């Protein structure tokens, strides 16, 4: 469900840092605590040259928030992002509705004991 938000974040971070979106996207993850934000990225994982704490601060200051990503804060070498909860809820409900009874269904483990 976070993929659209990760794509938006990765695109902007790529423009700001020069790092490839292919490197940035898998580096975006859930933070250790929800008090930090909804999504986070450890700046060292972006393979940028320089001090990670200073890079995080600079990227946070340059990042432009919008209707999807409503906030960004640098915490040490981490960038923590807040996403629009209403937009996220709408994406989840739309996915549940379109999947119907198959929502949450998986074939993982089928045929295994």
């Amino acid at each position: 469900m976070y993929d659209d938000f990760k794509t938006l974040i990765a695109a902007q971070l790529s423009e700001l840092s020069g790092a490839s979106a292919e490197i940035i996207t898998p580096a975006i993850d859930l933070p250790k605590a929800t008090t930090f934000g909804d999504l986070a990225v450890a700046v060292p994982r972006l393979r940028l040259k320089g001090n990670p704490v200073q890079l995080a601060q600079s990227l946070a200051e340059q990042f432009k928030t919008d209707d999807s990503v409503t906030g960004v804060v640098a915490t040490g070498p981490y960038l923590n992002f807040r996403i629009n909860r209403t937009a996220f809820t709408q994406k989840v409900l739309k996915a549940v509705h379109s999947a119907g009874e198959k929502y949450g269904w998986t074939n993982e483990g089928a045929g295994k004991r």
Side-chain angles (χ1 to χ4, degrees):
M1 291 295 147
Y2 288 109
D3 289 346
D4 292 342
F5 297 100
K6 287 182 178 185
T7 300
L8 292 170
I9 291 168
Q12 192 172 158
L13 286 179
S14 179
E15 287 180 27
L16 294 173
S17 69
S20 166
E22 288 77 30
I23 291 173
I24 297 170
T25 303
I28 301 171
D29 209 350
L30 299 174
K32 292 184 189 285
T34 56
T35 55
F36 293 127
D38 301 307
L39 293 169
V41 62
V43 173
R45 291 190 61 196
L46 305 183
R47 303 179 194 157
L48 301 173
K49 293 186 183 206
N51 180 311
V53 174
Q54 292 173 344
L55 289 168
Q57 187 63 43
S58 175
L59 290 168
E61 290 170 1
Q62 296 176 68
F63 196 93
K64 302 280 189 254
T65 58
D66 57 24
D67 292 338
S68 297
V69 181
T70 59
V72 58
V73 175
T75 307
Y78 291 89
L79 286 170
N80 297 294
F81 299 91
R82 291 271 176 214
I83 62 171
N84 181 323
R85 299 281 174 100
T86 302
F88 180 73
T89 301
Q90 289 172 347
K91 285 182 184 298
V92 171
L93 292 176
K94 188 175 181 179
V96 169
H97 179 57
S98 47
E101 291 180 13
K102 293 287 186 182
Y103 183 78
W105 177 261
T106 180
N107 286 327
E108 192 172 318
K112 296 182 182 178
R113 288 186 158 219

